[in-house]
Amino acid sequence: MQLKGSKFLITQAHLLRYMGAEIVTLELAEYLAGQGVEVVIATHSFGYPIRQEFDRIEGVTVFELWEDALAANLQERLPDLAWIQHSIIPVVVLEHADEILFVFHHMSSILPAEFTMAAVLESALATAVLFESPRSLEIHRATGVYEDVDPDRLQVMGNAAPARFGDVSPAPNNERRITVVSNHIPPELVAAFEGIRERFDLVVIGSQSELGATPRRVTPDTLADTDAMISIGKTVQYSIVAGVPVYCYDHFGGPGWITRANIEDARWENFSGRRAGTKTAAEIVVEISEGFDDAVAEAALVRRDWTRVYLLPERLEDLLEFVSERRRPVSKLTPQQIQGHENVQAAFGSYVREWIRMEALSNELKAAAIELEAATIKLEAELLEQEDALTTMRQEQAELYSSQLFRTLSRIRHSWVNRTFRKLRSMLGGL
């Protein structure tokens, strides 16, 4: 398929944070725009911090689904290919479905929003249906909604990594560094941090600032600046193609260091750690510390054997060749089909926006609670400081009252006062 000069539509539930589906959309848009594709993205909600990434990509335009500008853009020129995620399909695209090539992409086997909300439409439109892992494909197919889709059209896309990750040249740091990438660090891994820090410089990337994490995008520079990664999901694929050893572990557990011996089992579950079991903090520390050198050597061999499977340009090249050769003929949709899907889409969008609003409110309340707690702690500290000062003053006062000098001066003072009063009374009595 000729990319340069073509137009692609990508749809996505929301684009707000540095999270899995958002990063998939971002990297796909970056790659296509770099190949000369006009990229239009339709989403229910678009905002920061990830908006800054999209705003800097020339050739990519993001619209919220309800914007009139989206419909105008699509009317002016229909997309050559619609890459559909979260069952979002603009009405203009539905009205001209018979003129457009469709690919549907499902990025999870556990999140309800990643399952089709338009089974009949998807089966009728899709030239290919993509899943992020073999296990996910298996689970989605077991629902029975793809019985009308040829099995070879159901494919594993995988969380492929941009080509620039393949250009990373791992180099040892003076202080060996391990980078954790997670938005949901499990307690046993948190407990292992202390032991890991005894032998490594530890960096944590993610949304849990209370654990010392910093939210930012994982880039090739991130991989080049570390000696090993601890993560699951997409960061594992980054590490594989970069040749950086990766310890696969998070809130689902995990197998530990990815090797040629366990990669097939790990990739079946999209490197999520599921079914591999959990470990204790002590086990994690021992495996990372004692297995580090072997993991470095093994990472080079894993990179050699698996890079092509997980590089985005190669995977897209294979996919686009398939859909071009096997384009599914699509009939024009009826007004009832279009309106029915628009109703489902609008309902889903309202829940997405409400969830985002409530989450933002929750974060504001959380921030206010943290600020109040900090103020309370500061006030309590000031009160304790004042109490300590008062206690010190009382102790000094007690020491003063009990001193020989004070008692002597006190006797002198009382004697002088008594004499003065007697003299005064005497003077007053003589008047």
Side-chain angles (χ1 to χ4, degrees), residues 29-71:
E30 285 177 329
Y31 174 75
L32 292 172
Q35 300 302 306
V37 177
E38 177 188 351
V39 180
V40 173
I41 300 176
T43 182
H44 286 300
S45 186
F46 183 42
Y48 294 97
I50 206 169
R51 178 170 187 150
Q52 63 191 350
E53 305 288 349
F54 287 91
D55 286 346
R56 66 169 61 108
I57 312 172
E58 186 176 351
V60 175
T61 308
V62 182
F63 298 98
E64 292 188 328
L65 193 61
W66 48 266
E67 291 185 79
D68 292 337
L70 171 63

Side-chain angles (χ1 to χ4, degrees), residues 97-378:
D98 55 323
E99 304 172 51
I100 300 169
L101 180 62
F102 284 87
V103 171
F104 286 75
H105 187 204
H106 301 278
M107 295 171 279
S108 172
S109 60
I110 60 173
L111 297 176
E114 291 291 353
F115 285 76
T116 182
M117 287 176 272
V120 175
L121 272 183
E122 186 168 328
S123 295
L125 299 178
T127 289
V129 182
L130 310 176
F131 305 92
E132 97 289 350
S133 69
R135 176 61 173 160
S136 185
L137 190 160
E138 181 183 75
I139 291 173
H140 282 261
R141 184 161 52 189
T143 64
V145 301
Y146 296 112
E147 291 182 357
D148 295 333
V149 180
D150 295 337
D152 65 338
R153 295 183 187 274
L154 306 177
Q155 299 185 13
V156 175
M157 179 66 187
N159 271 329
R164 58 185 181 274
F165 283 92
D167 297 331
V168 172
S169 298
N173 289 281
N174 292 332
E175 291 186 9
R176 292 193 301 181
R177 176 173 297 165
I178 289 181
T179 301
V180 177
V181 179
S182 174
N183 290 316
H184 25 60
I185 307 171
E188 65 272 22
L189 183 53
V190 174
F193 283 178
E194 183 178 355
I196 295 172
R197 285 192 173 101
E198 291 179 1
R199 298 188 59 177
F200 303 92
D201 179 24
L202 189 66
V203 176
V204 185
I205 298 174
S207 60
Q208 294 169 286
S209 56
E210 69 276 12
L211 298 179
T214 302
R216 59 185 172 92
R217 187 179 180 185
V218 176
T219 67
D221 287 341
T222 310
L223 276 293
D225 196 36
T226 195
D227 297 288
M229 303 290 290
I230 301 175
S231 191
I232 58 172
K234 195 167 184 61
T235 307
V236 177
Q237 285 92 327
Y238 290 159
S239 302
I240 289 170
V241 301
V244 174
V246 54
Y247 190 87
C248 183
Y249 196 91
D250 208 286
H251 61 312
F252 296 121
W257 292 115
I258 293 297
T259 67
R260 288 169 296 165
N262 66 17
I263 190 171
E264 283 285 4
D265 288 339
R267 74 184 290 265
W268 184 262
E269 295 284 356
N270 191 36
F271 301 105
S272 64
R274 294 186 186 89
R275 299 196 304 171
T278 58
K279 304 176 187 290
T280 66
E283 288 172 331
I284 293 171
V285 172
V286 169
E287 289 183 4
I288 288 176
S289 301
E290 296 184 359
F292 181 83
D293 291 334
D294 289 341
V296 171
E298 187 69 17
L301 300 174
V302 171
R303 182 186 204 182
R304 178 197 66 191
D305 295 344
W306 288 90
T307 288
R308 179 168 176 81
V309 176
Y310 287 117
L311 273 182
L312 182 60
E314 280 76 1
R315 184 64 194 95
L316 272 179
E317 180 183 338
D318 294 342
L319 172 67
L320 295 176
E321 181 180 352
F322 174 87
V323 298
S324 297
E325 294 176 352
R326 298 286 306 279
R327 180 171 186 144
R328 184 186 183 97
V330 175
S331 301
K332 202 164 187 65
L333 300 178
T334 67
Q336 291 83 0
Q337 288 175 307
I338 296 171
Q339 186 62 55
H341 185 71
E342 186 180 8
N343 292 346
V344 171
Q345 191 161 262
F348 178 63
S350 69
Y351 281 108
V352 168
R353 289 188 291 274
E354 181 63 13
W355 167 73
I356 291 169
R357 188 184 73 82
M358 294 303 296
E359 186 178 48
L361 178 60
S362 175
N363 289 338
E364 289 176 8
L365 291 174
K366 181 179 178 181
I370 292 173
E371 186 176 341
L372 178 60
E373 183 179 5
T376 302
I377 292 172
K378 181 180 179 181

Side-chain angles (χ1 to χ4, degrees), residues 420-431:
T420 301
F421 271 116
R422 284 197 299 271
K423 185 181 291 186
L424 181 61
R425 283 197 298 270
S426 175
M427 291 173 62
L428 290 174
L431 292 177

Side-chain angles (χ1 to χ4, degrees), residues 2-7 35-38 77 80:
Q2 176 64 39
L3 289 179
K4 188 174 183 179
S6 63
K7 181 175 183 177
Q35 300 302 306
V37 177
E38 177 188 351
R77 181 191 175 189
D80 299 289

